[in-house]
Amino acid sequence: MKKAHVLIVGIDGVRYDSLVNTPTPSLDRIAEAGVLVPVRVHEKNATISGPVWSTVATGVYADRHMVTGNSSHPVELDAFPDFTARLRSARPELQTMVAASWHPLAKDVECGPIFSSRGWVPMPDPEEANDADSWVRADDAVADYAVERLTMEDLAASFVYFGEADVEAHNHGTGSGYHAAIERCDARLGRLLQAIEARPTRREEDWTVIVVTDHGHVDVGGHGGDSEQERTAWIASSGPDVPQDIGALCHADIAAQVLQTFGIQTQETDGVPFGSRYEALQGGRPVELQEARLGGRQGAGQVSRLSPVTPR
């Protein structure tokens, strides 16, 4: 049996319709080998980075982890270790990595550490200047760090985060600069995929890759509201345990999928392993599935579906 590995790449604030109309060859490779599914940010979470990335890390929604914004770290979050911490607790022989340009993901600042394991962040903090150059440098540094470790170390599970696109939308809206930032993030994703393929033990390994955004943006830039542009996110994934006929996914499912990959129980999470959500939510409860067409990339015309919409 091949050895399991999982790479999760977070790309902050990428609108779904902007994504499918931007050249993203690295993400296309993942989608063509697996799935690209538009995902509705759960109604229990605000369309803000802190709450949604906390759900990605822990597998529970904001009514449990209590992260409602980006500024403060609630004590309730400490009761929910992130998936890398849970992996190492259940299987101490496993190694993990967290690398992120947004410091609260990995450091004890603002609402962080969202990943209780903490991790590597670039210095200086790109939020000090908070312009295009500072975030390009920070995201490139994260990619450099992650590539080196992915190439040579036996990392069971890794979370790598790029924030440039979100800041570009905040500063200048969702125009041409935003699309260029998405392309640069896709190029960094490509570097990570190349690092995996260059591993000396690659033939003896199974790799699951998950790429996810946390929320969208309004046209002029900004999020936190309830518009479809803000509340529609997406997940792309491929790997030996990823079904190609997934109808629905949720941010909480990522932690559940990672834990299941390594044989760790997922019952305490709000998420379910990939491919189980539609069945899990049908019993005794109406489920609405909205259809969306994947235009603007190879395989255009393929029909995907948004996550079940929780009644308001």
Side-chain angles (χ1 to χ4, degrees):
M1 293 182 64
K2 294 185 176 182
K3 196 171 186 179
H5 296 76
V6 181
L7 169 65
I8 300 92
V9 180
I11 305 178
D12 204 297
V14 175
R15 254 172 66 157
Y16 180 70
D17 59 347
S18 297
L19 178 76
V20 299
N21 288 294
T22 302
T24 53
S26 302
L27 190 69
D28 288 348
R29 285 173 51 198
I30 295 168
E32 289 161 8
V35 293
L36 170 61
V37 182
V39 171
R40 185 172 176 82
V41 176
H42 198 280
E43 304 297 336
K44 292 179 179 179
N45 285 357
T47 56
I48 300 173
S49 293
V52 182
W53 290 122
S54 296
T55 292
V56 170
T58 66
V60 302
Y61 301 126
D63 62 333
R64 298 174 69 188
H65 62 59
M66 298 304 292
V67 178
T68 57
N70 294 340
S71 59
S72 60
H73 180 95
V75 296
E76 289 85 354
L77 179 60
D78 298 332
F80 301 102
D82 71 88
F83 57 77
T84 66
R86 290 194 58 189
L87 285 180
R88 294 197 314 276
S89 176
R91 295 181 56 183
E93 76 279 9
L94 296 181
Q95 299 181 53
T96 63
M97 172 179 68
V98 175
S101 54
W102 189 46
H103 285 205
L105 282 160
K107 286 189 65 178
D108 186 11
V109 295
E110 298 175 336
C111 62
I114 289 174
F115 278 79
S116 54
S117 302
R118 295 173 170 79
W120 188 88
V121 296
M123 297 299 292
D125 185 343
E127 286 197 298
E128 293 177 5
N130 210 38
D131 58 20
D133 288 343
S134 69
W135 281 94
V136 168
R137 288 193 299 269
D139 281 355
D140 285 347
V142 168
D144 291 343
Y145 174 85
V147 163
E148 182 175 357
R149 294 195 63 187
L150 284 168
T151 302
M152 300 307 301
E153 297 183 37
D154 189 20
L155 300 170
S158 302
F159 176 82
V160 181
Y161 166 98
F162 304 124
E164 175 194 356
D166 179 66
V167 176
E168 174 62 28
H170 278 292
N171 290 344
H172 301 110
T174 59
S176 59
Y178 183 56
H179 288 268
I182 294 171
E183 289 187 56
R184 286 190 292 270
C185 289
D186 184 73
R188 297 182 188 105
L189 170 63
R191 291 186 61 201
L192 303 181
L193 299 180
Q194 290 170 3
I196 290 172
E197 293 307 314
R199 289 177 52 77
T201 54
R202 178 65 180 90
R203 292 186 178 182
E204 290 78 49
E205 298 169 343
D206 276 333
W207 279 84
T208 297
V209 180
I210 302 168
V211 189
V212 56
T213 201
D214 52 342
H215 54 71
H217 273 272
V218 296
D219 291 345
V220 296
H223 53 88
D226 202 36
S227 68
E228 286 303 309
Q229 290 84 358
E230 295 162 275
R231 199 161 280 282
T232 302
W234 50 267
I235 295 173
S237 184
S238 65
D241 299 323
V242 178
Q244 292 189 308
D245 58 348
I246 294 175
L249 288 173
C250 184
H251 287 105
D253 297 345
I254 291 175
Q257 178 68 22
V258 174
L259 295 175
Q260 178 185 256
T261 297
F262 295 94
I264 299 170
Q265 293 185 350
T266 65
Q267 288 91 330
E268 64 273 29
T269 69
D270 292 325
V272 293
F274 288 5
S276 304
R277 176 152 295 275
Y278 182 68
E279 296 81 357
L281 294 184
Q282 279 195 94
R285 178 180 173 186
V287 175
E288 178 184 354
L289 291 176
Q290 302 178 17
E291 290 189 350
R293 290 199 173 272
L294 307 182
R297 61 172 65 246
Q298 293 182 10
Q302 173 187 355
V303 175
S304 183
R305 291 179 172 83
L306 289 174
S307 303
V309 177
T310 304
R312 296 173 182 266

